[in-house]
Amino acid sequence: MEPLKVALTFVEAINSGRAGELAALMTADHVFVDSDGTEVSGRERMREGWESYFAMVPDFRIEVERTFAEGDTVVLLGRSSGTFAHEGRLDPANGWSAPAAWRAVVAGDRVARWQVYVNPEAMVEILDRLQSV
């Protein structure tokens, strides 16, 4: 499968909110890199990480507007959005949307590296507010 198709399938799995489906698209030594440069390695660790994230932001979405691919590397540009769940509810006041970019390094038909580029300021502000309640 071509790298762009693999990366877009990965986005579809993220948007499904099903961590198991997402993990199936990762290499065993998959590396996730957050905007601050923090790296998490391993398919199982990332499956658990995505399960936690989907519980915290159940409506998380990636909207891809532009794509670029060269060799095994794909760059996606667009927006990410979601709502932080608080006390089991999704209050629109706890929602955010931000321009974002993602870099996928593909190995065969799986994603070996997924790197996120987004300014987390709006998300941090919401989390800070929710923690002070």
Side-chain angles (χ1 to χ4, degrees), residues 1-3 5-7 10 21-30 43 72 104-113:
M1 189 181 318
E2 70 180 63
K5 174 80 171 145
V6 172
F10 198 76
E21 182 179 320
L22 188 54
L25 296 168
M26 298 175 194
T27 60
D29 60 349
H30 176 88
R43 178 187 314 150
D72 64 354
V105 178
V106 176
D109 60 352
R110 290 187 167 65
V111 175
R113 184 176 190 91

Side-chain angles (χ1 to χ4, degrees), residues 31-119:
V31 176
F32 173 87
V33 185
D34 209 345
S35 291
D36 64 4
T38 301
E39 292 189 11
V40 178
S41 298
R43 178 187 314 150
E44 185 57 26
R45 285 186 70 203
M46 280 313 305
R47 184 192 59 74
E48 292 169 0
W50 280 107
E51 282 178 351
S52 294
Y53 192 74
F54 293 147
M56 185 171 58
V57 186
D59 63 346
F60 179 71
R61 301 280 303 165
I62 290 176
E63 297 172 46
V64 176
E65 297 166 359
R66 298 276 318 250
T67 63
F68 302 90
E70 184 176 307
D72 64 354
T73 302
V74 177
V75 174
L76 309 170
L77 304 175
R79 298 189 73 76
S80 62
S81 62
T83 310
F84 287 105
H86 183 64
E87 297 177 351
R89 294 180 300 118
L90 292 180
D91 181 341
N94 299 328
W96 51 270
S97 176
W102 302 267
R103 180 173 67 110
V105 178
V106 176
D109 60 352
R110 290 187 167 65
V111 175
R113 184 176 190 91
W114 183 254
Q115 187 161 5
V116 178
Y117 303 89
V118 64
N119 180 341

